[in-house]
């Protein structure tokens, strides 16, 4: 039985995790799981501002369906004797910092982009995908100014400490994919 490696891409909202994961998945013919696909009403603490002031314990962010899906996918992948894939790429904004999922992650790659670049990308995303961009964007920016920026910074500081690879260069999705690809090949992953 071949051991499947779980590669988590982490970073704040707008860092490029989903875009990079999609490209890596195609390159390595690997399955993916995206954190945002498993977010439920009770995933995040109700009062994120209070959560931040109480120490920003990322283990309080719960995604049991995500953890279960990853566990099942990893088991299935390892049972396939002739599986093409030896990796699963996941979008896990919090790296190994959440106790519920840490044991399933082999490597954490952090996309540590400047916060203003991430904000710009989130703004563009709101403008492109929202039915009412002025309202959703206004609400997001109000929260961002009030506490979300600090939440992102606190979470990134946690993740940075336990990442296996940290990418800080603001490049194209293709160049970031290439950097990760080279790292995976060089390290026998």
């Amino acid at each position: 039985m071949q051991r499947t490696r779980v590669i988590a891409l982490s970073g704040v909202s707008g860092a490029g995790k989903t875009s990079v994961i999609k490209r890596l998945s195609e390159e390595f013919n690997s399955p993916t799981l995206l954190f945002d696909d498993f977010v439920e009403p009770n995933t995040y603490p109700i009062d994120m501002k209070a959560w931040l002031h109480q120490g920003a314990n990322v283990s309080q962010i719960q995604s049991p369906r995500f953890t279960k899906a990853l566990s099942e996918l990893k088991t299935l992948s390892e049972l396939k004797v002739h599986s093409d894939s030896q990796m699963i790429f996941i979008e896990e904004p919090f790296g190994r910092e959440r106790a519920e999922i840490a044991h399933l992650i082999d490597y954490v790659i952090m996309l540590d982009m400047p916060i203003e670049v991430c904000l710009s990308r989130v703004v563009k995303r709101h403008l492109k995908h929202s039915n009412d961009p002025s309202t959703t964007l206004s609400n997001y920016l109000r929260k961002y100014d009030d506490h979300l920026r600090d939440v992102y910074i606190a979470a990134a500081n946690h993740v940075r400490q336990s990442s296996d690879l940290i990418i800080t260069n603001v490049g194209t999705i293709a160049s970031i994919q290439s950097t990760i690809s080279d790292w995976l090949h060089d390290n026998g992953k």
Side-chain angles (χ1 to χ4, degrees):
M1 178 169 26
Q2 194 166 6
R3 189 168 177 319
T4 299
R5 308 271 188 224
V6 175
I7 315 298
L9 265 70
S10 300
V12 305
S13 185
K17 300 178 298 292
T18 303
S19 298
V20 173
I21 282 174
K22 287 177 182 177
R23 292 185 65 126
L24 288 167
S25 170
E26 290 174 12
E27 177 184 351
F28 288 96
N29 191 29
S30 298
T32 64
L33 288 175
L34 304 176
F35 179 85
D36 288 347
D37 291 344
F38 295 88
V39 170
E40 297 179 28
N42 60 347
T43 296
Y44 291 99
I46 293 170
D47 185 342
M48 289 298 286
K49 190 173 183 178
W51 171 83
L52 175 67
H53 293 300
Q54 294 166 357
N57 179 357
V58 294
S59 283
Q60 292 175 342
I61 297 168
Q62 301 290 308
S63 61
R65 288 187 318 112
F66 182 59
T67 303
K68 181 180 180 192
L70 177 55
S71 182
E72 290 172 354
L73 183 58
K74 189 172 181 177
T75 299
L76 283 173
S77 186
E78 288 176 351
L79 289 175
K80 291 181 181 177
V81 179
H82 299 291
S83 174
D84 289 343
S85 176
Q86 297 174 306
M87 292 182 265
I88 299 169
F89 291 98
I90 66 168
E91 173 196 48
E92 170 52 50
F94 310 101
R96 288 187 193 93
E97 298 303 306
R98 295 188 317 120
E100 80 175 76
I101 201 164
H103 67 284
L104 295 170
I105 297 172
D106 295 292
Y107 304 103
V108 174
I109 299 170
M110 181 178 188
L111 303 182
D112 198 5
M113 301 294 117
I115 197 82
E116 69 274 6
V117 170
C118 296
L119 176 60
S120 171
R121 291 174 179 173
V122 170
V123 166
K124 288 176 188 173
R125 188 183 313 152
H126 273 269
L127 292 173
K128 184 177 180 181
H129 297 291
S130 175
N131 293 333
D132 185 5
S134 63
T135 301
T136 61
L137 186 56
S138 177
N139 288 338
Y140 176 81
L141 291 173
R142 182 181 44 76
K143 290 178 185 175
Y144 184 88
D145 287 342
D146 184 60
H147 63 278
L148 275 182
R149 180 179 185 277
D150 294 331
V151 165
Y152 292 150
I153 290 169
N157 287 338
H158 285 293
V159 173
R160 198 175 290 113
Q161 296 173 27
S162 63
S163 293
D164 299 294
L165 173 64
I166 299 174
I167 297 175
T168 58
N169 62 315
V170 180
T172 64
I173 297 302
S175 69
I176 293 170
Q177 171 200 358
S178 178
T179 299
I180 294 171
S181 227
D182 291 346
W183 184 81
L184 290 170
H185 286 299
D186 290 347
N187 291 287
K189 307 221 178 2

